[in-house]
Amino acid sequence: PNVLAVLEDACEAAGFAPTVSFEARSYQEAQAMVAVGMGIALEPQLSLYSLRDDISVITAVSPTPPARSIVLARRGGERPSPAGAAMGRILVEAGRAWEATQS
């Protein structure tokens, strides 16, 4: 789903419908809009690596925060190189290990 759909689903789960006046093209742009008082933003935690110091972050938006799927993709019809295959195994293993910590 797109970002707006994730926002709408999260708000619906919280019992309200958001009023969206602006859409940012980047997380930094969204943070700038928040900083000048244009509203609030919903961003994934990983986007906060370059958090502005003039905004505040609320990390727990709900008991079940929105989640996104991360997939591993490669070109069809081709066999991955040994390095590509090894990286695929590492990523799948890391994903499973992280997922085990979330339950």
Side-chain angles (χ1 to χ4, degrees):
N2 65 30
V3 174
L4 186 55
V6 171
L7 172 66
E8 289 170 340
D9 290 348
C11 293
E12 181 181 328
F16 71 98
T19 300
V20 178
S21 300
F22 302 97
E23 289 187 48
R25 296 188 183 270
S26 71
Y27 298 127
Q28 291 76 25
E29 184 179 357
Q31 289 182 24
M33 286 189 222
V34 170
V36 297
M38 293 176 73
I40 63 172
L42 181 66
E43 296 187 15
Q45 190 166 359
L46 287 175
S47 74
L48 303 179
Y49 68 92
S50 61
L51 181 65
R52 295 173 59 113
D53 59 4
D54 55 351
I55 63 173
S56 297
V57 173
I58 301 168
T59 56
V61 295
S62 74
T64 54
R68 84 168 105 171
S69 297
I70 299 174
V71 299
L72 173 63
R74 64 175 172 238
R75 191 179 345 199
E78 289 187 16
R79 206 171 164 169
S81 68
M87 188 61 172
R89 288 190 301 273
I90 290 168
L91 291 171
V92 168
E93 184 178 308
R96 287 182 179 148
W98 180 85
E99 191 173 44
T101 68
Q102 303 305 301
S103 45

